[in-house]
């Protein structure tokens, strides 16, 4: 009796269901993390992410609670997908997404990093705008940025005061609960 080799590439799998969950997760992650979206060129991945380049991340308590509910929902969706039903590449992608979700939930709920993320709060607006400017399209020999691109920069700059107010609220909450930034961050970013 001769056994026929199994062709894994043609075996039925659940890749289509996984890809839907995965792709929705990636787009929503980029929407909630505008600086990352700008850095990675999210608007090229999904046109809905274009306007995100005019915003900054919302680190408020309410936004993080909402994000944690969303992360748990995605985690449950990914947990329902049997990894053995996926192609090898998507099995790895599933593991990576779950690891990132677990990391983010740990950062929010256990470490409460948002209460002491001084470096994030001081660096994020600068990085967001810096990467945005670096990615502008060339409009002339020595000019950059379409009117739409400059409008998004202006919106992002206008969002900085509200971003810093949330940062101050979070740092104050950390001080009250003795969850303060590392002293090196205070020297490097706070002074």
């Amino acid at each position: 009796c001769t056994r026929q080799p199994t062709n894994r590439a043609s075996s039925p799998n659940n890749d289509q269901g996984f890809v839907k969950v995965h792709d929705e997760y990636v787009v929503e992650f980029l929407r909630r993390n505008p600086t990352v979206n700008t850095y990675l060129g999210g608007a090229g991945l999904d046109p809905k992410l274009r306007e995100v380049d005019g915003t900054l991340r919302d680190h408020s308590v309410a936004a993080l609670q909402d994000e944690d509910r969303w992360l748990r929902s995605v985690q449950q969706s990914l947990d329902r997908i049997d990894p053995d039903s996926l192609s090898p590449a998507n099995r790895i992608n599933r593991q990576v997404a779950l690891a990132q979700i677990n990391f983010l939930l740990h950062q929010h709920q256990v470490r409460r990093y948002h209460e002491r993320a001084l470096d994030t709060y001081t660096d994020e607006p600068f990085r967001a705008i810096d990467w945005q400017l670096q990615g502008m399209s060339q409009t002339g020999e020595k000019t950059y940025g379409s009117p739409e691109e400059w409008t998004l920069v202006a919106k992002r700059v206008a969002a900085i005061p509200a971003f810093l107010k949330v940062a101050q609220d979070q740092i104050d909450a950390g001080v009250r609960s003795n969850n303060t930034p590392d002293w090196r961050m205070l020297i490097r970013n706070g002074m």
Side-chain angles (χ1 to χ4, degrees), residues 19-95:
V19 167
K20 181 180 184 316
V21 172
H22 174 271
D23 290 358
E24 288 172 358
Y25 169 67
V26 169
V27 169
E28 182 62 13
F29 175 84
L30 292 173
R31 187 189 70 76
R32 290 175 185 264
N33 293 275
T35 303
V36 176
N37 180 66
T38 299
Y39 179 72
L40 295 177
L45 174 69
D46 189 317
K48 292 182 295 197
L49 294 171
R50 181 83 178 139
E51 292 301 311
V52 173
D53 285 344
T55 64
L56 291 168
R57 180 159 166 68
D58 186 352
H59 291 277
S60 69
V61 171
L64 293 177
Q65 288 171 343
D66 180 63
E67 182 173 322
D68 288 352
R69 282 189 294 276
W70 165 71
L71 288 168
R72 288 266 185 236
S73 174
V74 175
Q75 184 181 51
Q76 291 167 357
S77 295
L78 291 172
D79 281 341
R80 284 192 293 270
I81 297 171
D82 178 6
D84 292 333
S85 72
L86 299 174
S87 64
N90 281 329
R91 197 172 309 134
I92 293 168
N93 290 340
R94 178 185 172 275
Q95 287 177 293

Side-chain angles (χ1 to χ4, degrees), residues 164-183:
L164 293 176
K165 172 65 174 110
V166 168
Q168 182 179 0
D169 292 346
Q170 289 289 24
I171 296 294
D172 287 346
V175 168
R176 285 191 304 276
S177 66
N178 202 29
N179 184 30
T180 57
D182 182 275
W183 66 270

